[in-house]
Amino acid sequence: QSALTQPASVSGSPGQSITISCTGTSSDVGNNRVSWYQQYPGRVPKVMIYDDSKRPSGVSDRFSASKSGNTASLTISGLRADDEAGYYCCSYAGSSTYVFGNGTKVTVL
Amino acid sequence: EVQLVQSGAEVKKPGESLKISCKGSGYFFPSYWIAWVRQMPGKGLEWMGIIYPGDSDATYSPSFQGQVTISVDRSINTAYLQWSSLKASDSAMYYCARQNGDFLFWEFWGQGTLVTVSS
């Protein structure tokens, strides 16, 4: 059960949009639901997206997500300084197991 | 208010045993899956395993099977993660997380327990 593949880093200027990819297999991402988590250094992860594309109450609509085949994507629109954090995808992988992505550090230039 | 409160930081020597805890409150503890997640220093999140407190059914990531034991004490609404013989490579932050009732995601997280293993 390998970690889902994410780019190590993505950067953008304030106001721009960035997209983070999360690639797995048909055993996880391709046939199961994906969630996304934001984590600031030294802080607890926070869910930003669940069920592939749903936003929990209180999460900004600047965060959106989609999935196609074995790849899920998280888009942050109108990039802000406080979006600078680590982002992790997570997929159910069957038989009561889950797998996280290896994480993406977002830098706001 | 749903809360997961984890036990405090631990400093141990290689070969020692350890059991850390995660106490749930503000909800019906038996009905929600609890996961344990490892984060090594400067690294990403790793899903270790999961337990359903209602029947103590535990499942492990292949990477952690045989390395740790996940258990629960329903009488005190507490989940545990334990090691029988720690290694230096077990040094990490460990989080517990509770699954959402309707969807497959980790909605509530404990504050984390830092484990340091050093001779």
Side-chain angles (χ1 to χ4, degrees):
Chain A
Q1 191 181 52
S2 301
L4 308 176
T5 301
Q6 298 180 231
S9 62
V10 173
S11 61
S13 299
Q16 286 187 330
S17 294
I18 60 169
T19 296
I20 302 167
S21 61
C22 168
T23 301
T25 69
S26 58
S27 296
D28 37 62
V29 174
N31 284 291
N32 291 290
R33 301 302 188 182
V34 175
S35 51
W36 290 88
Y37 301 83
Q38 176 192 62
Q39 187 185 34
Y40 293 110
R43 304 296 296 273
V44 176
K46 172 189 173 185
V47 61
M48 304 302 284
I49 295 287
Y50 69 95
D51 207 32
D52 292 343
S53 59
K54 294 182 171 66
R55 268 190 317 276
S57 164
V59 172
S60 170
D61 59 5
R62 297 186 301 104
F63 291 85
S64 62
S66 62
K67 191 172 75 175
S68 178
N70 296 336
T71 298
S73 299
L74 174 71
T75 297
I76 309 174
S77 306
L79 199 62
R80 297 172 18 164
D82 61 356
D83 296 328
E84 190 161 290
Y87 292 85
Y88 297 88
C89 58
C90 181
S91 174
Y92 183 67
S95 302
S96 297
T97 66
Y98 290 75
V99 59
F100 279 101
N102 46 341
T104 298
K105 178 174 168 52
V106 168
T107 301
V108 181
L109 302 171
Chain B
E1 178 195 9
V2 174
Q3 282 193 313
L4 297 174
V5 178
Q6 297 185 228
S7 49
E10 301 273 2
V11 179
K12 292 288 191 178
K13 290 180 168 37
E16 291 186 330
S17 63
L18 176 65
K19 194 173 189 177
I20 63 175
S21 66
C22 168
K23 183 175 177 61
S25 64
Y27 71 97
F28 189 60
F29 186 76
S31 293
Y32 295 84
W33 291 86
I34 295 278
W36 286 96
V37 177
R38 182 175 79 174
Q39 188 165 40
M40 299 178 77
K43 302 298 184 183
L45 304 175
E46 298 174 270
W47 190 85
M48 303 176 69
I50 192 173
I51 190 163
Y52 187 68
D55 60 9
S56 300
D57 178 32
T59 302
Y60 299 86
S61 161
S63 301
F64 293 93
Q65 179 82 48
Q67 309 304 308
V68 296
T69 301
I70 295 172
S71 61
V72 67
D73 185 338
R74 283 189 298 277
S75 69
I76 54 172
N77 289 0
T78 300
Y80 300 97
L81 177 67
Q82 69 180 89
W83 296 259
S84 58
S85 180
L86 287 160
K87 302 184 283 287
S89 58
D90 292 319
S91 295
M93 180 70 82
Y94 292 89
Y95 294 102
C96 63
R98 198 206 83 171
Q99 191 177 92
N100 176 269
D102 298 313
F103 297 94
L104 301 180
F105 72 98
W106 306 102
E107 184 173 16
F108 300 98
W109 292 69
Q111 82 277 20
T113 296
L114 182 63
V115 173
T116 303
V117 183
S118 174
S119 55

